[in-house]
Amino acid sequence: MACARKFLFRVLQNNNLAFKRSIAMSQTRRAAEEAVEKLKESNPYYWKYAEKIAKIQQTSAEEFLDRVERVVNPIKDGQSQARSYSELLNPKQELAKKQEAAELPHKKLSDIMKLELLADKSAEDLSQIWIEYHKTKEVLAATLTTAQYDTLMGRAKEHPIFLLPLPRSEGFEFFLLQFAANTVHFTPLLAYQVHHENAPECLTVVHYTEVQDKGVVLMRGEYDSKVLTAQEAQCLANELQMFYYKTDESKMKLLETFTKRPDEFKHTDLIKEVENIQLA
């Protein structure tokens, strides 16, 4: 009889736990649905990534809620909730290793052009050849002086990750950038915060230094036309220049705040710096 009571108690206890779990799961699902509605209201680019967001919501409501929290409230308790973009590049490595540029190989100019054909060219000739070579290609192309490149890389060491706002007809969409070796990677902030390592890389800007001894560095940008137009990709590249190798006290202050005091960083201040930019 005592055994029967113990058995009945365990059955009731298990049923009670199952009932509580059922209630918790139901509450989580409702919370996830409410979070979707909140995300739709707070971000005008929700529909651009709606299909992938729906898949995450169906797979794990708890994980989905955690990701939405980071989108809606990117700063919590004085700490940024957005993960380093290096996690997108190497999601399974330790953070310290992921941030070591030495582990990320340089893109090589020899993969694009025959270096021997450039050996006797001047900086002016190289710049002209580079621009002409890319005129018929769907990529960005530009040249930097060695001084500009040195400034760019110096700031990149201090501020390897940053946000850039892209003007759209609906307002501004934010893009996350990170430097890795001689390359700058861009991805939509919303896509990264929601999808993490599955977020699409929409723009890659590479700086080739093989002819730097002639006083010029060659830049090439490849973009995903499904995410960006040529004008939008060029706009992001222009903003990169504005913040990383042009002298502007207000922009330098924003870099410092984003890197060292993320809890004080305001997206509205960033927008003010670029709100006069218009797509060609």
Side-chain angles (χ1 to χ4, degrees):
M1 192 71 175
C3 291
R5 290 197 193 97
K6 289 181 181 179
F7 175 76
L8 180 60
F9 175 77
R10 284 198 299 270
V11 169
L12 292 174
Q13 189 178 45
N14 289 338
N15 287 341
N16 187 43
L17 288 173
F19 179 68
K20 289 181 178 179
R21 288 194 201 100
S22 177
I23 292 176
M25 290 175 66
S26 178
Q27 291 173 337
T28 301
R29 282 194 292 270
R30 284 198 299 272
E33 291 170 358
E34 291 172 0
V36 168
E37 295 304 316
K38 187 176 182 181
L39 195 58
K40 290 178 184 177
E41 295 173 1
S42 65
N43 197 301
Y45 301 100
Y46 168 83
W47 297 106
K48 188 174 181 179
Y49 310 103
E51 184 177 347
K52 290 186 177 180
I53 290 174
K55 289 181 180 179
I56 293 178
Q57 182 186 1
Q58 294 170 3
T59 302
S60 172
E62 291 86 352
E63 180 183 3
F64 174 77
L65 285 172
D66 176 63
R67 295 186 183 190
V68 170
E69 170 66 15
R70 272 176 275 181
V71 174
V72 178
N73 300 305
I75 303 296
K76 184 176 181 180
D77 298 328
Q79 299 294 324
S80 172
Q81 297 200 80
R83 300 195 306 178
S84 165
Y85 186 78
S86 57
E87 295 185 50
L88 174 63
L89 301 175
N90 299 290
K92 295 183 180 179
Q93 296 181 9
E94 294 178 3
L95 183 60
K97 292 182 179 179
K98 285 181 286 187
Q99 293 179 335
E100 292 179 6
E103 294 187 359
L104 300 171
H106 276 65
K107 300 282 187 178
K108 297 179 180 180
L109 183 58
S110 58
D111 294 334
I112 300 174
M113 306 181 77
K114 294 182 178 180
L115 297 183
E116 57 268 23
L117 299 179
L118 308 177
D120 61 344
K121 305 299 182 184
S122 66
E124 185 177 350
D125 290 337
L126 288 168
S127 297
Q128 185 176 354
I129 291 171
W130 186 252
I131 299 301
E132 287 294 326
Y133 175 78
H134 289 95
K135 268 189 176 180
T136 58
K137 296 175 171 57
E138 293 185 356
V139 298
L140 307 181
T143 60
L144 288 70
T145 65
T146 53
Q148 288 174 327
Y149 179 72
D150 289 342
T151 300
L152 173 79
M153 297 312 293
R155 291 185 189 172
K157 288 181 179 179
E158 294 183 28
H159 313 289
I161 303 171
F162 193 55
L163 289 180
L164 292 178
L166 179 68
R168 304 274 203 185
S169 58
E170 303 90 343
F172 286 85
E173 181 176 8
F174 288 93
F175 288 76
L176 184 69
L177 70 82
Q178 182 175 2
F179 285 81
N182 64 332
T183 305
V184 191
H185 303 272
F186 295 76
T187 193
L189 178 61
L190 176 59
Y192 178 67
Q193 288 180 312
V194 173
H195 303 301
H196 294 183
E197 65 275 4
N198 296 318
E201 184 173 341
C202 62
L203 173 63
T204 304
V205 173
V206 183
H207 297 92
Y208 297 98
T209 59
E210 284 85 341
V211 293
Q212 189 174 3
D213 59 330
K214 296 178 182 289
V216 64
V217 173
L218 308 177
M219 185 278 278
R220 172 180 167 120
E222 298 182 5
Y223 60 93
D224 183 349
S225 60
K226 295 179 181 179
V227 181
L228 298 171
T229 65
Q231 292 80 9
E232 290 168 342
Q234 185 64 63
C235 183
L236 288 173
N238 291 343
E239 290 183 10
L240 177 68
Q241 296 174 21
M242 290 167 53
F243 281 92
Y244 279 87
Y245 63 79
K246 291 187 177 181
T247 303
D248 187 309
E249 185 177 345
S250 60
K251 291 179 178 60
M252 287 297 298
K253 184 177 179 180
L254 280 172
L255 286 169
E256 290 285 331
T257 303
F258 183 85
T259 303
K260 299 179 180 179
R261 302 182 304 279
D263 54 314
E264 298 177 15
F265 182 80
K266 296 180 180 179
H267 294 70
T268 52
D269 291 341
L270 182 60
I271 290 175
K272 288 178 183 177
E273 287 296 321
V274 301
E275 62 185 353
N276 293 325
I277 291 179
Q278 295 182 355
L279 299 180

